[in-house]
Amino acid sequence: MKNNVTDIRKDFPILSTQVNGKPLIYFDNGASAQKPQAVIDSITKYYSSMHANIHRGVHTLSQQATQAYEDAREAVKKYINAEHSEEIIITRGTTESINLVAHSFVKKGDEVIISGMEHHSNIVPWQLAEVNLKVVKVKDNGELDMEDFKSKLSKNTKLVAITHVSNTLGTINPVAEIIALAHALGVKVLLDGAQAVPHMKVDVQKLDCDFYAFSAHKMYGPTGIGILYGKKDLLNAMPPYQGGGDMIKHVTFEKTTYNDLPHKFEAGTPAISEGIALGAAVEYLNKIDWDWAAKHEEELLAYATEEIKKIEGVKVIGEAKHKAGVLSFVVEGAHHYDIGTLLDQMGIAIRTGHHCTEPLMHRFDISGTARASFAFYNTKEEVKIFIDALKRSLKMLR
Amino acid sequence: MTTINENEKEIIEDFALFSDWEDKYEYIISLGKELPLISDQYKNEDHLVRGCQSRVWLHAEKKGENIVFTADSDAIITKGLIALLVKVFSDQPAKEVAKTDLAFIDTIGLREHLSPNRSNGLVSMIQKMKNYAVAFSAK
Ligand SMILES: Cc1ncc(COP(=O)(O)O)c(C=O)c1O
């Protein structure tokens, strides 16, 4: 099991590069995580020795590629502990996964509950579907207002779609409680797991969620690919999302019959190399000691939070009791854009802006935040350099 | 009266004096702090150049054949960069502003601020300055 940060860092080649002449400190993991060598190698290997289209060829390469791609699905299935592999729909990412559910599971006028801390990708698809949106309030400390949730949830609710971990606040939402409350009324639950999977091992059966959406690139895998987990009976009852090759059984001009799960939802030639590389990412994550990783990240976050609060005029946005990997802050007299620009000069990558959560920014009456987000490969030394660099930036700006 | 080209040259010479990023950015920040503010009546939606992170307000006025710009931003580095643009373009013949492609930003190593991903409104601001200039020289 991997539980030593010095060794783990060696697995990620980009971590030993320089940016603007300084050793890179990568604290923008919330936007996208870096890739271990195993993931990079799997893409090279695929294109060097196995590439062919999948699910359609009788020739050897096509069969090998199909096998590797389906092995990746199987790896994801095991990793999140889904009951069946056909419950693993391979999509372009969290965004497409949510759009799929918004297209095929709800219809115009249905009642859908989201929260005030959702990423735009868990807001706009519901608006496009013209559902009746109810938005659960966020408390001042960045926690979900569960009383408000309970008051909005009813038998008339078709779906609760809520983020597992907030990308802006770091809040880990009480998803077990949300699911229990919803299921007690026969209401289905979708979790946006984009920010959860990089920080913890998720067990969809234990959670008992109905849908779980996430992106490979945030969990140390390639871009352009992600997963929609859905319970089999629900997915079976849903109409296809896109039409094309692979998703059909037979096509005639009079009547077309659709393929079985999961292919029904996977129209067209997929991102094959990325799929296989996602399998490699999962294989890598299987070697991570997640108890160690959780403790390590918690220490980083606690240390960073403690140190940043000592700086005059800094306000941390999101101080929920349970948080994962995210430190969002605003500084009196310094714009987040300026902070991000100066830190970048010192080799430190953070994210600034509204983080695709504009309604949440309005909620806190701010135009944006600076956000440092951590991964298990980050170190306390990096946090220390970041804090010093932040102080230096603020001295220049204020 | 200096020309656009002369203004650019002057800035390039100023920046050549800086040996590290810190001096460079301190200078930009000080420019931002000095920039004559746009008068409050123009700091509104109509004059807003939208960037996704920092916002820019730009106002243009005609002065004979020339075009005069005043501007502001909520981020100080953006404001400093705006100050440079204003220094180069303001009080210059509108038709010159309309047809000149700015080279100095690249030369002084600030091109990253004009990359599409910077979302600071600068790219749109330059476009808007030119749009004003085109409109003014057509009149
Ligand atoms: C909470 C959350 N949901 C959804 C997304 C969208 O993910 P993607 O852009 O990979 O589809 C993100 C990514 O920023 C996110 O943080």
Side-chain angles (χ1 to χ4, degrees), chain A residues 30-31 92-96 98 119 121-122 163 165-167 192 194-195 215 217-218 351 355-356 371:
Chain A
R92 280 198 303 120
T94 311
T95 302
E96 189 176 52
I98 297 173
H119 189 278
S121 64
N122 194 27
T163 195
V165 173
S166 158
N167 64 315
D192 172 350
Q195 295 293 337
S215 300
H217 70 96
K218 294 192 201 270
R351 172 106 182 250
H355 318 295
C356 299
R371 179 189 74 179

